[in-house]
Amino acid sequence: MAHYVDLSPCDYFTSDHGGKLIAVGWLSRGHAYSKGDISAEVFARLHQLLVNPWQPCVAMGAHACDFHRFTDGPCQITLDNVTAQLGVSNLFVPSGDRLFVAPSLILHYIDAYEYSPPPEFCDAVMACPEMRSMDYLKLVRKTAPAALFSGNQTQM
Ligand SMILES: [Zn+2]
């Protein structure tokens, strides 16, 4: 899948992002990434947000974990009997005037490869309003580049 260094501008969805879309967790084979501890609370919250995440109108293809030699790796991750799909969706997390964007595979990267996302991302995950709540959608609408909303508006 596409690779971005953590906290770099993400042009995956649109080139017209105005520096407001910030990549987190876009790991790829052959690229170094940050390893370390992450609290179970952050992982659980991340998982919760990724069960049915809001998606922009811009349709993108699925990605598979890049680290597997012969397969595409897992396509879902289950925590406390709740399952989040991997590889299809992306997670948008508002933070001030920026919007972090992480692939759903971030759950697998943390779980399997000791990936440690940047602290500011973890803070934003813990502070994130409930997925698809009015508060969440307002924050996304406020910070996201307009190009994410072009086309069908009913997804808001
Ligand atoms: Zn993998």
Side-chain angles (χ1 to χ4, degrees), residues 65-68 72-74 105 108-109 112-113:
C65 178
D66 213 22
F67 295 101
H68 301 250
D72 288 340
L105 278 165
H108 173 58
Y109 297 148
Y113 308 119

